[in-house]
Amino acid sequence: MTSEQPLGVQVGVADGLIHVHLSEMEALIISDLLQQVRHLLSLDQAAPTVRLRLGPEGLGLDEATPASTQESGAAPDPSVEELEALVGMRQGPMHPPTDPALARLLPDAYAEDSAASSDFRRFTEQDLRQHKTAQIDATLASLAPEQEDDQAGQQIPPDDLVHRYRQLHLLPEQAQAWLSALNDVRLVMGTRLQVSEDDDLLLWLDEQQQPTTPTQQGLQAQAMRAVYDYLTAIQEHLVEAVCALHDEVQKSGE
């Protein structure tokens, strides 16, 4: 097992698999965040802005001010629509989502060329949404507990969630799905929290604790930032494990 891993999570490599050991609480937090981002990816351009939220009842979606339903730009070219129908190509949106977090998941391809970005987005965004959703679904499937028939459907008492564990055994492609899905969760959380990779955690927490008596919103932000950094650490250890597994395969082939 690798050292200095977050909370109860342990990540290691053995027998051609990546083994992840984590508590039921951690599994539920990760699963719920993944489901929220999956929901976000299902929304269209005119959907309300959706915030990831941590609360006393667990994680949940919290809808903020509705985004603009107006799209600007030229109407689609009828000749292009005929070509799409002929060859089976699907037409998607031409403009980035108005929700900043969704726009982060589905960015413009060409920062300096809006016309090229619109054309590229029109033919690729739906496929990108489907790919990201498939990666999330694969991660959720690998997180599902292996239950005996007599335990199926039973709910674990809240006090036991931290002390009960799941042992996951990931194939390399499942680990890659984890990395992709966790990265998307972090992109959404980072956008909502307005943090970047270079932000200092202690400085950020100090800013959130002003004034002396923190608000509910401030406490919520602190909890979200803690989860954000926790997911970052898991992602780093998964990368190490994927690299270690790759090295093992390379050596065995020599």
Side-chain angles (χ1 to χ4, degrees):
M1 297 295 178
T2 55
S3 60
E4 298 182 2
Q5 302 198 11
L7 299 182
V9 172
Q10 294 181 326
V11 182
V13 175
D15 303 322
L17 297 172
I18 295 173
H19 304 277
V20 181
H21 178 84
L22 73 170
S23 72
E24 289 288 341
M25 178 65 76
E26 291 165 313
L28 288 175
I29 289 174
I30 295 171
S31 295
D32 211 29
L33 285 170
L34 289 169
Q35 289 166 357
Q36 291 182 63
V37 174
R38 190 186 192 285
H39 173 72
L40 183 63
L41 284 165
S42 73
L43 302 179
D44 60 23
Q45 303 291 91
T49 295
V50 176
R51 294 195 299 262
L52 289 171
R53 185 165 180 256
L54 291 165
E57 301 302 324
L59 299 171
L61 285 168
D62 182 24
E63 295 189 354
T65 305
S68 171
T69 59
Q70 211 170 18
E71 279 204 18
S72 59
D77 186 339
S79 63
V80 175
E81 290 183 326
E82 292 176 6
L83 177 62
E84 291 170 357
L86 180 65
V87 300
M89 296 174 65
R90 294 176 304 162
Q91 177 183 337
M94 296 184 64
H95 307 286
T98 51
D99 182 335
L102 190 54
R104 187 82 184 275
L105 293 176
L106 308 167
D108 280 333
Y110 307 101
E112 305 300 326
D113 191 334
S114 59
S117 289
S118 294
D119 287 339
F120 188 83
R121 179 180 297 278
R122 185 179 181 187
F123 296 112
T124 61
E125 181 175 303
Q126 296 302 324
D127 287 339
L128 181 57
R129 284 175 183 256
Q130 288 185 355
H131 174 73
K132 288 179 177 294
T133 300
Q135 297 292 77
I136 290 175
D137 287 344
T139 304
L140 287 169
S142 69
L143 263 171
E146 297 180 0
Q147 294 180 323
E148 300 293 338
D149 290 340
D150 60 347
Q151 293 179 332
Q154 292 185 6
Q155 188 167 353
I156 301 173
D159 292 343
D160 292 346
L161 290 174
V162 178
H163 305 291
R164 296 184 62 168
Y165 296 89
R166 295 185 194 179
Q167 185 75 26
L168 312 179
H169 310 287
L170 307 179
L171 294 168
E173 56 269 27
Q174 290 176 307
Q176 291 292 347
W178 269 70
L179 290 173
S180 175
L182 290 180
N183 189 62
D184 285 343
V185 172
R186 290 179 60 254
L187 285 174
V188 173
M189 294 182 75
T191 303
R192 296 293 189 244
L193 291 167
Q194 298 182 326
V195 299
S196 69
E197 300 287 347
D198 299 325
D199 284 344
D200 180 82
L201 174 59
L202 295 179
L203 177 60
W204 187 90
L205 287 174
D206 183 62
E207 292 174 350
Q208 297 300 312
Q209 290 171 347
Q210 304 298 330
T212 305
T213 302
T215 63
Q216 183 63 37
Q217 184 176 5
L219 292 173
Q220 176 81 10
Q222 290 178 33
M224 290 293 289
R225 179 56 195 257
V227 173
Y228 174 88
D229 288 294
Y230 162 76
L231 295 179
T232 301
I234 294 179
Q235 196 173 28
E236 291 174 353
H237 290 297
L238 279 173
V239 169
E240 293 173 0
V242 169
C243 292
L245 185 58
H246 179 267
D247 291 342
E248 282 190 4
V249 172
Q250 291 291 97
K251 291 178 180 177
S252 65
E254 294 178 353

